[in-house]
Amino acid sequence: MQLPEPQSQTYSTLLSEIESGQVKIPQFQRDFVWDIGKSANLLDSIIKGYPIGTFIFWRTNERLRAVRDIGKFKLPEPTLGEFINYVLDGQQRMTSLFAGLKGLQVIRENGKVDDYGEIYIDLEAKEDDQIVIVDVSGKEEGSIIKITDLLKGGIKMLAKYDEKYLDKLDLYKNTIQSYNFSIILLKGAPIDIATEVFTRINVGGKHLSLFEIMIAKTYDAVKHFDLSEKYKELIKDLIPHNYETISDATVLQTVSMIMEKDCTRKQILKLDKQKFISEWQNAIAAIKSAVEYFKFTYGIPVSQLLPYNAMIVPFAYFFYYHKDNPTGDKKNYLEDFFWRCAISGRYTSGVEGKLAQDIKKIEQILQNKLPKYEWAIDVSPEFIKKYGWFSAGRSFIKAILCLYAYKQPRSFNTNAIVNISNYWLKQANSKNYHHFFPKSYLNKNLSWENKGFYINHILNITIVDDFLNKREIAAKAPLKYMSEFSKKNPNLEETMKTHLIYDLEGYGIWENDYQRFFNARANAVSEELKKRVIISDVDKAKEAVLDDSFETVEEEEEIGVE
């Protein structure tokens, strides 16, 4: 990379380069937000010869996604291979200058139109007055002139003005046309350096995410590839599956893992643009196959229940190479991998490195081999009791919620299948989550030490509908509200099995016995987990170590996002 190069350009050169498409505003810049009054102040500074700050351009022959239109003015695409100056700093000033000096109409996002042709010079203003104005009320017609008329008008137009204004007209026109705009040119820098420069100098505090950088880097007008639009298309396709919360970071990780078997930020920024574009459709097809597998094979109805967004990555990698759903041992090995990651808190930290390691395990599964794991899992009732405090963001809790959802839980009073919604499952106080022994009831009637932990426990959680949760159950004891439901729902025993509550008598419900309920449900959850994992020597050898090191607070790490 060459050292930044200071330059200066005149009004005519700068406008000419903008009009020819040699100067562009990259997509990661914010929208043009300056109002017409602030733009007039900028032009006033130029008229007075004041400095207006330095523009920083990144000169490159890369083609980025750029804002090609300013107002209604269509800016052309330069010839392929030619260098372009992307504006890293000074976008608001640059747009103000171009719109003001060209007299453009700028259409805002709210539909409002600002006519930059209505910026005037007050010929009566003194040197220390505001010379460039937008409010001309009270001004005589012959004492003001549009900036566009000053720059474009010929002798006949200027001759209409009183002789006393001619010197000012000449001075102002020459001042604008001879004004030297200060520019620093960043040449030969890779896109990650250019965007780092942008981040550091941006006074608005905008910090670019990896996805925003990759939108800019992978844009290809010829191939009609726009990563931002492609991602929106993917999310639109996932909405019917209720998997629209898959993050842009996860998508980038998936493509990078398929291309390079690595998904660090550094590696993603190094991805070859043309290979990225060519692999996109296959990678997206693999992501969709992973989603369908989670939904229809593992019975996970919504993406909010996925223990980690990152779990999409190894499964998409699998389906990139294995187009059909797995069967036999391969299916069992893949299921073991999923639950092993979910139960152990695998992607709570160090996600990038762990994904790279786990891809090797996926490759073993593709070869119909059972991988050897370095981390142990424990699916015993004791482990579930010890680490089951309820927090909607914990992978261990989400894993058990996946078990609950797999059973297609039914409404206690109608036996109808409960609708599980991404929107409702965002928080622990979700409309879908119900404490089977209501918290207020247990707070009054439970005498256990540290009872708050055991009251707000995954073993006390059922998935119900909003109406049932708020109006029918509230703070009632289980004996009371379940007795009421038994009158309305003749299939109540079968209904409760869909909540992993297999025996109303044995679970202590008719006696309001929380101890029996807690223990019985722990056994039921444990048995369901045992069906899904393949217990290995590492699990038996490291159980004690796992108990001591298992994290009880987990937040999903979004890798690659700044």
Side-chain angles (χ1 to χ4, degrees), residues 273-324:
K273 171 180 173 177
Q274 296 307 323
K275 187 177 178 183
F276 185 99
I277 294 172
S278 65
E279 287 285 8
W280 176 260
Q281 288 301 332
N282 290 332
I284 293 309
I287 289 174
K288 291 178 178 179
S289 293
V291 165
E292 290 177 1
Y293 198 72
F294 289 147
K295 185 178 179 75
F296 298 114
T297 302
Y298 295 163
I300 304 172
V302 296
S303 52
Q304 198 67 41
L305 284 181
L306 270 182
Y308 295 103
N309 247 333
M311 296 185 84
I312 289 285
V313 180
F315 275 78
Y317 186 92
F318 177 89
F319 285 106
Y320 179 85
Y321 292 101
H322 195 287
K323 306 303 180 185
D324 301 321

Short mmCIF file of all heavy atoms in Angstrom, two decimals, residues 273-324:
data_model
loop_
_atom_site.label_atom_id
_atom_site.label_comp_id
_atom_site.label_asym_id
_atom_site.label_seq_id
_atom_site.Cartn_x
_atom_site.Cartn_y
_atom_site.Cartn_z
N LYS A 273 -13.50 -12.82 -4.57
CA LYS A 273 -14.81 -12.28 -4.93
C LYS A 273 -15.55 -13.17 -5.93
O LYS A 273 -16.72 -13.51 -5.73
CB LYS A 273 -14.64 -10.87 -5.49
CG LYS A 273 -15.91 -10.28 -6.10
CD LYS A 273 -15.65 -8.89 -6.65
CE LYS A 273 -16.83 -8.33 -7.41
NZ LYS A 273 -16.60 -6.96 -7.88
N GLN A 274 -14.90 -13.55 -7.01
CA GLN A 274 -15.58 -14.32 -8.05
C GLN A 274 -15.95 -15.72 -7.57
O GLN A 274 -17.01 -16.25 -7.90
CB GLN A 274 -14.70 -14.39 -9.31
CG GLN A 274 -14.46 -13.03 -9.96
CD GLN A 274 -15.76 -12.27 -10.24
OE1 GLN A 274 -16.78 -12.87 -10.62
NE2 GLN A 274 -15.73 -10.97 -10.06
N LYS A 275 -15.07 -16.33 -6.75
CA LYS A 275 -15.39 -17.64 -6.20
C LYS A 275 -16.55 -17.53 -5.21
O LYS A 275 -17.42 -18.40 -5.15
CB LYS A 275 -14.16 -18.24 -5.52
CG LYS A 275 -14.37 -19.68 -5.08
CD LYS A 275 -13.10 -20.27 -4.47
CE LYS A 275 -13.36 -21.71 -4.00
NZ LYS A 275 -12.17 -22.29 -3.34
N PHE A 276 -16.58 -16.44 -4.43
CA PHE A 276 -17.67 -16.19 -3.50
C PHE A 276 -18.99 -16.13 -4.26
O PHE A 276 -19.98 -16.76 -3.86
CB PHE A 276 -17.42 -14.86 -2.76
CG PHE A 276 -18.42 -14.54 -1.69
CD1 PHE A 276 -18.13 -14.80 -0.36
CD2 PHE A 276 -19.65 -13.97 -2.00
CE1 PHE A 276 -19.06 -14.50 0.65
CE2 PHE A 276 -20.58 -13.66 -1.00
CZ PHE A 276 -20.27 -13.93 0.31
N ILE A 277 -19.00 -15.39 -5.35
CA ILE A 277 -20.23 -15.24 -6.15
C ILE A 277 -20.65 -16.59 -6.74
O ILE A 277 -21.83 -16.95 -6.73
CB ILE A 277 -20.03 -14.18 -7.24
CG1 ILE A 277 -19.83 -12.80 -6.60
CG2 ILE A 277 -21.21 -14.17 -8.21
CD1 ILE A 277 -19.43 -11.71 -7.58
N SER A 278 -19.67 -17.33 -7.26
CA SER A 278 -20.00 -18.60 -7.92
C SER A 278 -20.49 -19.65 -6.91
O SER A 278 -21.29 -20.53 -7.25
CB SER A 278 -18.78 -19.13 -8.68
OG SER A 278 -17.74 -19.47 -7.79
N GLU A 279 -20.01 -19.57 -5.65
CA GLU A 279 -20.41 -20.55 -4.64
C GLU A 279 -21.71 -20.16 -3.92
O GLU A 279 -22.27 -20.97 -3.19
CB GLU A 279 -19.30 -20.70 -3.59
CG GLU A 279 -18.07 -21.45 -4.06
CD GLU A 279 -18.31 -22.95 -4.17
OE1 GLU A 279 -19.47 -23.40 -4.01
OE2 GLU A 279 -17.34 -23.68 -4.41
N TRP A 280 -22.15 -18.93 -4.12
CA TRP A 280 -23.26 -18.42 -3.33
C TRP A 280 -24.51 -19.30 -3.39
O TRP A 280 -25.07 -19.70 -2.36
CB TRP A 280 -23.61 -16.99 -3.76
CG TRP A 280 -24.81 -16.43 -3.05
CD1 TRP A 280 -26.08 -16.34 -3.51
CD2 TRP A 280 -24.83 -15.93 -1.70
NE1 TRP A 280 -26.91 -15.79 -2.56
CE2 TRP A 280 -26.17 -15.53 -1.44
CE3 TRP A 280 -23.87 -15.76 -0.71
CZ2 TRP A 280 -26.56 -15.00 -0.22
CZ3 TRP A 280 -24.27 -15.21 0.51
CH2 TRP A 280 -25.58 -14.84 0.74
N GLN A 281 -24.97 -19.62 -4.59
CA GLN A 281 -26.21 -20.38 -4.72
C GLN A 281 -26.12 -21.75 -4.08
O GLN A 281 -27.06 -22.21 -3.42
CB GLN A 281 -26.60 -20.51 -6.20
CG GLN A 281 -27.10 -19.23 -6.82
CD GLN A 281 -28.34 -18.67 -6.12
OE1 GLN A 281 -29.13 -19.40 -5.52
NE2 GLN A 281 -28.50 -17.36 -6.17
N ASN A 282 -24.98 -22.43 -4.25
CA ASN A 282 -24.81 -23.74 -3.64
C ASN A 282 -24.77 -23.64 -2.12
O ASN A 282 -25.32 -24.51 -1.41
CB ASN A 282 -23.52 -24.40 -4.15
CG ASN A 282 -23.63 -24.82 -5.61
OD1 ASN A 282 -24.72 -25.10 -6.10
ND2 ASN A 282 -22.50 -24.86 -6.30
N ALA A 283 -24.12 -22.60 -1.62
CA ALA A 283 -24.06 -22.40 -0.17
C ALA A 283 -25.44 -22.12 0.40
O ALA A 283 -25.82 -22.65 1.46
CB ALA A 283 -23.09 -21.27 0.17
N ILE A 284 -26.22 -21.29 -0.30
CA ILE A 284 -27.57 -20.97 0.16
C ILE A 284 -28.46 -22.21 0.12
O ILE A 284 -29.27 -22.44 1.02
CB ILE A 284 -28.16 -19.83 -0.70
CG1 ILE A 284 -27.39 -18.54 -0.46
CG2 ILE A 284 -29.64 -19.63 -0.39
CD1 ILE A 284 -27.23 -18.16 1.00
N ALA A 285 -28.31 -23.01 -0.91
CA ALA A 285 -29.08 -24.27 -0.99
C ALA A 285 -28.74 -25.17 0.20
O ALA A 285 -29.63 -25.82 0.76
CB ALA A 285 -28.78 -24.98 -2.31
N ALA A 286 -27.47 -25.20 0.58
CA ALA A 286 -27.04 -26.01 1.72
C ALA A 286 -27.63 -25.47 3.02
O ALA A 286 -28.04 -26.25 3.90
CB ALA A 286 -25.52 -26.05 1.79
N ILE A 287 -27.67 -24.15 3.18
CA ILE A 287 -28.28 -23.53 4.37
C ILE A 287 -29.76 -23.90 4.44
O ILE A 287 -30.27 -24.27 5.51
CB ILE A 287 -28.09 -22.01 4.35
CG1 ILE A 287 -26.63 -21.65 4.61
CG2 ILE A 287 -28.99 -21.33 5.39
CD1 ILE A 287 -26.32 -20.17 4.46
N LYS A 288 -30.45 -23.82 3.32
CA LYS A 288 -31.87 -24.17 3.31
C LYS A 288 -32.09 -25.64 3.65
O LYS A 288 -33.05 -26.00 4.35
CB LYS A 288 -32.47 -23.84 1.94
CG LYS A 288 -32.57 -22.34 1.65
CD LYS A 288 -33.13 -22.07 0.28
CE LYS A 288 -33.26 -20.58 0.00
NZ LYS A 288 -33.77 -20.30 -1.36
N SER A 289 -31.19 -26.51 3.18
CA SER A 289 -31.30 -27.93 3.51
C SER A 289 -31.09 -28.16 5.00
O SER A 289 -31.79 -28.97 5.62
CB SER A 289 -30.26 -28.74 2.71
OG SER A 289 -30.55 -28.71 1.33
N ALA A 290 -30.15 -27.41 5.59
CA ALA A 290 -29.91 -27.51 7.03
C ALA A 290 -31.14 -27.07 7.81
O ALA A 290 -31.55 -27.71 8.79
CB ALA A 290 -28.69 -26.68 7.42
N VAL A 291 -31.75 -25.97 7.37
CA VAL A 291 -32.95 -25.46 8.02
C VAL A 291 -34.07 -26.49 7.95
O VAL A 291 -34.75 -26.77 8.96
CB VAL A 291 -33.39 -24.13 7.37
CG1 VAL A 291 -34.83 -23.77 7.77
CG2 VAL A 291 -32.44 -23.00 7.76
N GLU A 292 -34.29 -27.06 6.79
CA GLU A 292 -35.35 -28.07 6.63
C GLU A 292 -35.08 -29.29 7.51
O GLU A 292 -36.01 -29.89 8.07
CB GLU A 292 -35.45 -28.47 5.16
CG GLU A 292 -36.02 -27.36 4.27
CD GLU A 292 -36.05 -27.75 2.81
OE1 GLU A 292 -35.63 -28.89 2.49
OE2 GLU A 292 -36.47 -26.93 1.98
N TYR A 293 -33.80 -29.63 7.65
CA TYR A 293 -33.45 -30.78 8.48
C TYR A 293 -33.73 -30.50 9.95
O TYR A 293 -34.29 -31.35 10.66
CB TYR A 293 -31.97 -31.13 8.27
CG TYR A 293 -31.61 -32.53 8.73
CD1 TYR A 293 -32.03 -33.65 8.00
CD2 TYR A 293 -30.85 -32.74 9.87
CE1 TYR A 293 -31.70 -34.93 8.41
CE2 TYR A 293 -30.51 -34.00 10.28
CZ TYR A 293 -30.95 -35.10 9.55
OH TYR A 293 -30.63 -36.37 9.95
N PHE A 294 -33.35 -29.32 10.40
CA PHE A 294 -33.65 -28.94 11.78
C PHE A 294 -35.16 -28.95 12.04
O PHE A 294 -35.62 -29.42 13.08
CB PHE A 294 -33.11 -27.54 12.09
CG PHE A 294 -31.61 -27.46 12.19
CD1 PHE A 294 -30.93 -26.32 11.80
CD2 PHE A 294 -30.87 -28.51 12.70
CE1 PHE A 294 -29.55 -26.23 11.90
CE2 PHE A 294 -29.49 -28.44 12.80
CZ PHE A 294 -28.83 -27.30 12.41
N LYS A 295 -35.89 -28.44 11.08
CA LYS A 295 -37.34 -28.28 11.26
C LYS A 295 -38.09 -29.61 11.19
O LYS A 295 -38.92 -29.91 12.06
CB LYS A 295 -37.88 -27.32 10.19
CG LYS A 295 -39.36 -26.96 10.36
CD LYS A 295 -39.80 -25.97 9.29
CE LYS A 295 -41.27 -25.62 9.42
NZ LYS A 295 -41.52 -24.70 10.54
N PHE A 296 -37.78 -30.40 10.17
CA PHE A 296 -38.60 -31.59 9.93
C PHE A 296 -38.03 -32.88 10.52
O PHE A 296 -38.78 -33.82 10.78
CB PHE A 296 -38.82 -31.76 8.42
CG PHE A 296 -39.56 -30.61 7.80
CD1 PHE A 296 -38.94 -29.77 6.88
CD2 PHE A 296 -40.86 -30.33 8.17
CE1 PHE A 296 -39.62 -28.69 6.32
CE2 PHE A 296 -41.56 -29.26 7.62
CZ PHE A 296 -40.93 -28.44 6.69
N THR A 297 -36.71 -32.95 10.72
CA THR A 297 -36.13 -34.15 11.32
C THR A 297 -35.98 -34.01 12.82
O THR A 297 -36.33 -34.92 13.59
CB THR A 297 -34.76 -34.46 10.68
OG1 THR A 297 -34.93 -34.64 9.27
CG2 THR A 297 -34.17 -35.74 11.27
N TYR A 298 -35.47 -32.86 13.27
CA TYR A 298 -35.30 -32.64 14.71
C TYR A 298 -36.51 -31.97 15.35
O TYR A 298 -36.56 -31.81 16.56
CB TYR A 298 -34.05 -31.80 14.98
CG TYR A 298 -32.75 -32.48 14.59
CD1 TYR A 298 -31.58 -31.75 14.43
CD2 TYR A 298 -32.68 -33.86 14.38
CE1 TYR A 298 -30.39 -32.36 14.07
CE2 TYR A 298 -31.50 -34.48 14.02
CZ TYR A 298 -30.36 -33.72 13.87
OH TYR A 298 -29.17 -34.33 13.51
N GLY A 299 -37.47 -31.59 14.52
CA GLY A 299 -38.71 -31.01 15.05
C GLY A 299 -38.52 -29.66 15.71
O GLY A 299 -39.26 -29.32 16.63
N ILE A 300 -37.53 -28.88 15.26
CA ILE A 300 -37.31 -27.55 15.81
C ILE A 300 -38.09 -26.57 14.94
O ILE A 300 -37.67 -26.24 13.83
CB ILE A 300 -35.80 -27.20 15.82
CG1 ILE A 300 -35.03 -28.27 16.59
CG2 ILE A 300 -35.57 -25.82 16.43
CD1 ILE A 300 -33.52 -28.13 16.50
N PRO A 301 -39.24 -26.09 15.40
CA PRO A 301 -40.16 -25.37 14.52
C PRO A 301 -39.73 -23.95 14.16
O PRO A 301 -40.18 -23.42 13.15
CB PRO A 301 -41.46 -25.35 15.33
CG PRO A 301 -41.02 -25.39 16.75
CD PRO A 301 -39.78 -26.23 16.77
N VAL A 302 -38.88 -23.34 14.99
CA VAL A 302 -38.50 -21.94 14.75
C VAL A 302 -37.02 -21.77 15.06
O VAL A 302 -36.46 -22.45 15.92
CB VAL A 302 -39.33 -20.97 15.62
CG1 VAL A 302 -40.81 -21.01 15.25
CG2 VAL A 302 -39.16 -21.26 17.10
N SER A 303 -36.39 -20.81 14.39
CA SER A 303 -34.95 -20.61 14.55
C SER A 303 -34.59 -20.08 15.93
O SER A 303 -33.46 -20.27 16.40
CB SER A 303 -34.43 -19.65 13.49
OG SER A 303 -35.17 -18.44 13.46
N GLN A 304 -35.53 -19.43 16.61
CA GLN A 304 -35.24 -18.89 17.93
C GLN A 304 -34.92 -19.99 18.94
O GLN A 304 -34.27 -19.74 19.95
CB GLN A 304 -36.44 -18.06 18.42
CG GLN A 304 -36.11 -17.11 19.56
CD GLN A 304 -35.19 -15.99 19.16
OE1 GLN A 304 -35.33 -15.42 18.09
NE2 GLN A 304 -34.23 -15.67 20.01
N LEU A 305 -35.34 -21.22 18.65
CA LEU A 305 -35.05 -22.34 19.54
C LEU A 305 -33.70 -22.99 19.26
O LEU A 305 -33.23 -23.81 20.06
CB LEU A 305 -36.14 -23.40 19.45
CG LEU A 305 -37.47 -23.09 20.15
CD1 LEU A 305 -38.44 -24.24 19.97
CD2 LEU A 305 -37.26 -22.80 21.62
N LEU A 306 -33.08 -22.67 18.14
CA LEU A 306 -31.77 -23.25 17.86
C LEU A 306 -30.81 -22.89 18.98
O LEU A 306 -30.68 -21.71 19.34
CB LEU A 306 -31.21 -22.70 16.54
CG LEU A 306 -31.52 -23.44 15.25
CD1 LEU A 306 -30.83 -22.76 14.09
CD2 LEU A 306 -31.10 -24.90 15.33
N PRO A 307 -30.10 -23.85 19.53
CA PRO A 307 -29.16 -23.52 20.61
C PRO A 307 -28.15 -22.46 20.21
O PRO A 307 -27.76 -21.64 21.02
CB PRO A 307 -28.50 -24.87 20.90
CG PRO A 307 -29.56 -25.87 20.57
CD PRO A 307 -30.25 -25.31 19.36
N TYR A 308 -27.71 -22.49 18.96
CA TYR A 308 -26.80 -21.47 18.43
C TYR A 308 -27.11 -21.23 16.96
O TYR A 308 -27.34 -22.19 16.21
CB TYR A 308 -25.33 -21.92 18.52
CG TYR A 308 -24.80 -22.08 19.91
CD1 TYR A 308 -24.64 -23.37 20.46
CD2 TYR A 308 -24.44 -20.99 20.68
CE1 TYR A 308 -24.15 -23.53 21.74
CE2 TYR A 308 -23.94 -21.15 21.97
CZ TYR A 308 -23.80 -22.42 22.49
OH TYR A 308 -23.32 -22.58 23.76
N ASN A 309 -27.06 -19.98 16.53
CA ASN A 309 -27.09 -19.69 15.10
C ASN A 309 -25.97 -20.41 14.39
O ASN A 309 -26.11 -20.89 13.26
CB ASN A 309 -26.92 -18.18 14.89
CG ASN A 309 -28.18 -17.53 14.33
OD1 ASN A 309 -28.98 -18.16 13.65
ND2 ASN A 309 -28.35 -16.26 14.61
N ALA A 310 -24.81 -20.50 15.05
CA ALA A 310 -23.61 -21.08 14.44
C ALA A 310 -23.79 -22.54 14.06
O ALA A 310 -23.03 -23.08 13.25
CB ALA A 310 -22.42 -20.94 15.39
N MET A 311 -24.79 -23.23 14.61
CA MET A 311 -24.99 -24.63 14.28
C MET A 311 -25.43 -24.81 12.83
O MET A 311 -25.32 -25.91 12.27
CB MET A 311 -26.00 -25.26 15.24
CG MET A 311 -25.50 -25.27 16.67
SD MET A 311 -26.59 -26.13 17.83
CE MET A 311 -26.05 -27.82 17.59
N ILE A 312 -25.91 -23.73 12.23
CA ILE A 312 -26.23 -23.78 10.80
C ILE A 312 -24.97 -24.12 10.00
O ILE A 312 -25.04 -24.85 9.00
CB ILE A 312 -26.78 -22.40 10.33
CG1 ILE A 312 -28.19 -22.17 10.89
CG2 ILE A 312 -26.78 -22.29 8.81
CD1 ILE A 312 -29.28 -22.96 10.22
N VAL A 313 -23.82 -23.62 10.44
CA VAL A 313 -22.59 -23.72 9.64
C VAL A 313 -22.17 -25.17 9.39
O VAL A 313 -22.03 -25.59 8.23
CB VAL A 313 -21.45 -22.90 10.28
CG1 VAL A 313 -20.18 -23.02 9.44
CG2 VAL A 313 -21.86 -21.44 10.43
N PRO A 314 -21.94 -26.00 10.44
CA PRO A 314 -21.52 -27.38 10.16
C PRO A 314 -22.59 -28.20 9.43
O PRO A 314 -22.25 -29.06 8.61
CB PRO A 314 -21.23 -27.95 11.55
CG PRO A 314 -21.93 -27.06 12.51
CD PRO A 314 -21.94 -25.71 11.88
N PHE A 315 -23.87 -27.91 9.71
CA PHE A 315 -24.92 -28.67 9.03
C PHE A 315 -25.03 -28.26 7.56
O PHE A 315 -25.27 -29.11 6.69
CB PHE A 315 -26.24 -28.51 9.77
CG PHE A 315 -26.41 -29.49 10.90
CD1 PHE A 315 -25.76 -29.28 12.11
CD2 PHE A 315 -27.16 -30.64 10.73
CE1 PHE A 315 -25.88 -30.19 13.15
CE2 PHE A 315 -27.29 -31.55 11.77
CZ PHE A 315 -26.65 -31.33 12.98
N ALA A 316 -24.87 -26.97 7.27
CA ALA A 316 -24.86 -26.54 5.87
C ALA A 316 -23.66 -27.14 5.15
O ALA A 316 -23.76 -27.54 3.98
CB ALA A 316 -24.84 -25.02 5.79
N TYR A 317 -22.53 -27.22 5.84
CA TYR A 317 -21.34 -27.85 5.26
C TYR A 317 -21.64 -29.31 4.91
O TYR A 317 -21.27 -29.79 3.83
CB TYR A 317 -20.18 -27.75 6.25
CG TYR A 317 -18.85 -28.23 5.70
CD1 TYR A 317 -17.97 -27.34 5.09
CD2 TYR A 317 -18.46 -29.57 5.81
CE1 TYR A 317 -16.75 -27.77 4.60
CE2 TYR A 317 -17.25 -30.01 5.31
CZ TYR A 317 -16.39 -29.10 4.71
OH TYR A 317 -15.18 -29.53 4.22
N PHE A 318 -22.33 -29.99 5.82
CA PHE A 318 -22.70 -31.38 5.56
C PHE A 318 -23.55 -31.48 4.31
O PHE A 318 -23.28 -32.31 3.41
CB PHE A 318 -23.45 -31.96 6.76
CG PHE A 318 -23.94 -33.37 6.57
CD1 PHE A 318 -23.14 -34.45 6.92
CD2 PHE A 318 -25.20 -33.63 6.03
CE1 PHE A 318 -23.57 -35.75 6.73
CE2 PHE A 318 -25.64 -34.93 5.84
CZ PHE A 318 -24.83 -35.99 6.20
N PHE A 319 -24.59 -30.64 4.21
CA PHE A 319 -25.52 -30.75 3.08
C PHE A 319 -24.95 -30.17 1.79
O PHE A 319 -25.49 -30.44 0.71
CB PHE A 319 -26.85 -30.10 3.45
CG PHE A 319 -27.68 -30.93 4.38
CD1 PHE A 319 -27.81 -30.58 5.72
CD2 PHE A 319 -28.30 -32.09 3.93
CE1 PHE A 319 -28.56 -31.36 6.59
CE2 PHE A 319 -29.05 -32.87 4.78
CZ PHE A 319 -29.18 -32.52 6.13
N TYR A 320 -23.89 -29.41 1.89
CA TYR A 320 -23.20 -28.97 0.67
C TYR A 320 -22.62 -30.18 -0.06
O TYR A 320 -22.63 -30.24 -1.29
CB TYR A 320 -22.09 -27.98 1.05
CG TYR A 320 -21.29 -27.46 -0.13
CD1 TYR A 320 -21.74 -26.37 -0.87
CD2 TYR A 320 -20.09 -28.06 -0.48
CE1 TYR A 320 -21.00 -25.89 -1.95
CE2 TYR A 320 -19.35 -27.60 -1.56
CZ TYR A 320 -19.81 -26.51 -2.29
OH TYR A 320 -19.08 -26.03 -3.36
N TYR A 321 -22.13 -31.15 0.72
CA TYR A 321 -21.51 -32.35 0.12
C TYR A 321 -22.45 -33.55 0.10
O TYR A 321 -22.19 -34.53 -0.61
CB TYR A 321 -20.24 -32.72 0.89
CG TYR A 321 -19.13 -31.72 0.72
CD1 TYR A 321 -18.86 -30.77 1.70
CD2 TYR A 321 -18.37 -31.69 -0.45
CE1 TYR A 321 -17.84 -29.84 1.54
CE2 TYR A 321 -17.36 -30.76 -0.62
CZ TYR A 321 -17.09 -29.84 0.37
OH TYR A 321 -16.09 -28.90 0.20
N HIS A 322 -23.54 -33.49 0.89
CA HIS A 322 -24.46 -34.62 0.98
C HIS A 322 -25.86 -34.08 0.66
O HIS A 322 -26.54 -33.56 1.53
CB HIS A 322 -24.41 -35.22 2.39
CG HIS A 322 -25.01 -36.58 2.51
ND1 HIS A 322 -26.37 -36.80 2.47
CD2 HIS A 322 -24.44 -37.80 2.67
CE1 HIS A 322 -26.62 -38.09 2.62
NE2 HIS A 322 -25.46 -38.72 2.74
N LYS A 323 -26.27 -34.22 -0.59
CA LYS A 323 -27.50 -33.56 -1.04
C LYS A 323 -28.77 -34.16 -0.44
O LYS A 323 -29.79 -33.48 -0.33
CB LYS A 323 -27.59 -33.61 -2.58
CG LYS A 323 -26.37 -33.05 -3.30
CD LYS A 323 -26.06 -31.61 -2.89
CE LYS A 323 -24.85 -31.06 -3.62
NZ LYS A 323 -24.46 -29.71 -3.14
N ASP A 324 -28.72 -35.42 -0.06
CA ASP A 324 -29.91 -36.07 0.49
C ASP A 324 -29.84 -36.13 2.01
O ASP A 324 -28.76 -36.01 2.60
CB ASP A 324 -30.04 -37.50 -0.06
CG ASP A 324 -30.13 -37.51 -1.59
OD1 ASP A 324 -30.81 -36.61 -2.13
OD2 ASP A 324 -29.53 -38.40 -2.20
#
